[in-house]
């Protein structure tokens, strides 16, 4: 029996697979509000020539458009890789309530790996963070992608 966390993370993994099929780093995200996905996205930095097109930001943009509000109060973000500083900033500004991530990011993760921005008191909003949901599956898609890249 899958938990609710695994249910939503599975949708984020599907988004990561879309990124991989486009030769983008396979990270996917979904935003859930009232038990419904209101936004989804995957990395599109290469496709769009936009360094801000990380999965989290793409999903925030899509969710905000859908509900016609830049505030995503009460929403949960499920993302296959621990957010970076840029994405954490967007999460704070959108007022997402909870971050659920899969794989930790030892190079740029700011939800516990390289640092923990949720512990900083200077933010006017602090989402709750839960990590390592479906960690193996979320890590594997990244590992497989980079192994294939290296040939």
């Amino acid at each position: 029996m899958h938990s609710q966390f695994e249910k939503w993370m599975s949708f984020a993994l599907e988004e990561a697979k879309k990124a991989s099929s486009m030769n983008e780093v396979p990270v996917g995200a979904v935003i859930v509000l009232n038990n419904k996905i209101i936004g989804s996205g995957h990395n599109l930095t290469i496709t769009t020539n936009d360094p801000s097109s990380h999965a989290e930001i793409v999903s925030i943009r899509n969710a905000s458009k859908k509900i016609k509000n830049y505030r995503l109060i009460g929403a949960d973000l499920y993302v296959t890789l621990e957010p970076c500083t840029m994405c954490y900033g967007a999460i704070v500004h959108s007022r997402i309530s909870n971050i659920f991530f899969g794989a930790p990011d030892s190079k740029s993760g700011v939800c516990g790996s390289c640092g923990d921005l949720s512990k900083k008191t200077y933010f006017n909003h602090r989402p709750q963070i839960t990590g390592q949901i479906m960690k193996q599956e979320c890590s594997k898609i990244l590992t497989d992608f980079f192994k294939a890249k290296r040939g």
Side-chain angles (χ1 to χ4, degrees), residues 65-106:
K65 281 179 191 160
K66 181 166 186 154
I67 68 166
K68 296 178 176 38
N69 195 333
Y70 71 104
R71 297 281 196 234
L72 301 174
I73 295 167
D76 298 330
L77 169 72
Y78 288 82
V79 60
T80 58
L81 183 65
E82 181 181 357
C84 69
T85 305
M86 174 183 68
C87 292
Y88 187 84
I91 291 162
V92 167
H93 287 292
S94 67
R95 303 296 192 271
I96 286 172
S97 297
N98 296 289
I99 300 169
F100 298 99
F101 72 86
D105 185 350
S106 62

Side-chain angles (χ1 to χ4, degrees), residues 29-31 38-45 48-72 77 86-87 90-91 94 96:
V30 296
I31 296 176
I38 61 167
S40 60
H42 50 272
N43 275 1
L44 288 170
T45 55
T48 61
N49 294 309
D50 179 357
S52 71
S53 289
H54 285 195
E56 297 94 325
I57 292 178
V58 172
S59 65
I60 288 169
R61 287 174 180 155
N62 290 333
S64 295
K65 281 179 191 160
K66 181 166 186 154
I67 68 166
K68 296 178 176 38
N69 195 333
Y70 71 104
R71 297 281 196 234
L72 301 174
L77 169 72
M86 174 183 68
C87 292
I91 291 162
S94 67
I96 286 172

